[in-house]
Amino acid sequence: MSPMPIPSNLSDARPQSATDQVFEALYIAIATLDLVPGEKISEADVAKKMGLSRQPVRDAFFRLSEMGFLRIRPQRATTISLISEQAILDAQFIRTALEVECLRAAVRNVTQDDLVVLDDIMVQQQAAVDTNDPRAFHAADDLFHRAICKIAGHPLAWNVIKDHKVHLERVRFLSLTFGAQLAFDDHMKILDALRVGDVERAEGALRDHLGHILDHIDTIRETNSEYFEPRAE
């Protein structure tokens, strides 16, 4: 298997440190399947592409491997990890627990300015649906959920969620080929409940929204079986 080419968007990120720059760019590339499960990736190739030394790339690779995105084996090629269904279930559990509590707090805290921000994000999502742009929708989707954590007063909750949803992230992206409109509609239900201060309706809409991905796993696996770890016999 030949090494996977590094996508052009690796040069777009501008985080604070070189390691963060590599990490964020690779995270996005893997989550959006520019780098696909099972493909090889090289520290040297990434360093050359980004105009960096090997050390920050090595550090970013280690962080990604700790999160489950990369499989690093001594004396063998580093590869993008296959998608684990158990990891999806674990991530879904963690994400639901944290986001539900954040949403309940957000209902109490939300201001008119917050609603303006969320409305703007929904405009971005609608544009992505209209243009059939899953990458734009994926980015706006994250903005929506991160904004709710911020409104709740717990912005760090999103960092915890992000660190635990790597396998889930790729399945979410694959689902956008047929499920972006459903996700948009779910977000509108959450926002409508948030706008009127209905905690129970907001929580129900969020639980439904986050649960949809579990309904799609078999369909996604059927058409992308090479991306997944083998199921236990």
Side-chain angles (χ1 to χ4, degrees), residues 72-90:
I72 300 175
R73 295 168 294 174
Q75 310 305 317
R76 301 181 67 180
T78 295
T79 57
I80 308 300
S81 66
L82 298 176
I83 298 171
S84 161
E85 288 191 49
Q86 182 58 52
I88 291 170
L89 297 175
D90 291 341

Side-chain angles (χ1 to χ4, degrees), residues 3-217:
M4 182 70 183
I6 307 302
S8 60
N9 68 353
L10 290 184
S11 61
D12 295 340
R14 297 289 187 272
Q16 293 181 347
S17 72
T19 297
D20 287 341
Q21 181 180 347
V22 178
F23 171 82
E24 191 66 24
L26 287 176
Y27 185 103
I28 293 170
I30 297 170
T32 59
L33 299 168
D34 284 331
L35 294 169
V36 300
E39 293 290 347
K40 296 178 182 178
I41 185 169
S42 159
E43 287 181 10
D45 288 348
V46 174
K48 182 178 179 181
K49 180 72 176 180
M50 302 187 74
L52 298 169
S53 67
R54 292 279 290 273
Q55 190 58 52
V57 176
R58 185 172 297 114
D59 292 342
F61 270 37
F62 178 76
R63 285 171 61 184
L64 289 162
S65 70
E66 289 290 287
M67 294 171 67
F69 259 167
L70 296 184
R71 187 181 183 195
I72 300 175
R73 295 168 294 174
Q75 310 305 317
R76 301 181 67 180
T78 295
T79 57
I80 308 300
S81 66
L82 298 176
I83 298 171
S84 161
E85 288 191 49
Q86 182 58 52
I88 291 170
L89 297 175
D90 291 341
Q92 185 71 5
F93 181 86
I94 293 168
R95 181 173 188 182
T96 300
L98 287 173
E99 285 209 44
V100 163
E101 290 306 311
C102 282
L103 182 60
R104 293 181 71 89
V107 173
R108 297 191 297 269
N109 296 346
V110 68
T111 66
Q112 189 58 45
D113 287 344
D114 294 329
L115 293 172
V116 169
V117 170
L118 291 171
D119 284 335
D120 181 65
I121 293 171
M122 294 307 298
V123 169
Q124 296 177 49
Q125 291 184 15
Q126 183 65 72
V129 171
D130 291 343
T131 58
N132 192 28
D133 187 341
R135 283 173 173 77
F137 189 92
H138 182 269
D141 182 288
D142 273 5
L143 285 177
F144 182 84
H145 290 277
R146 182 165 58 183
I148 289 174
C149 294
K150 183 177 179 180
I151 294 166
H154 300 292
L156 290 181
W158 181 250
N159 294 344
V160 176
I161 292 167
K162 182 176 179 180
D163 285 351
H164 287 86
K165 68 185 181 76
V166 277
H167 293 279
L168 179 61
E169 193 87 291
R170 291 181 286 184
V171 176
R172 281 177 60 225
F173 186 77
L174 287 167
S175 75
L176 294 179
T177 59
F178 58 85
Q181 183 64 57
L182 175 61
F184 175 85
D185 293 342
D186 286 347
H187 288 168
M188 287 301 300
K189 292 176 183 176
I190 295 167
L191 180 54
D192 288 344
L194 188 61
R195 198 185 307 277
V196 299
D198 191 329
V199 175
E200 300 308 318
R201 181 152 63 95
E203 178 178 336
L206 178 62
R207 287 186 182 276
D208 287 346
H209 172 57
L210 295 180
H212 286 319
I213 195 64
L214 301 182
D215 299 330
H216 299 321
I217 289 178

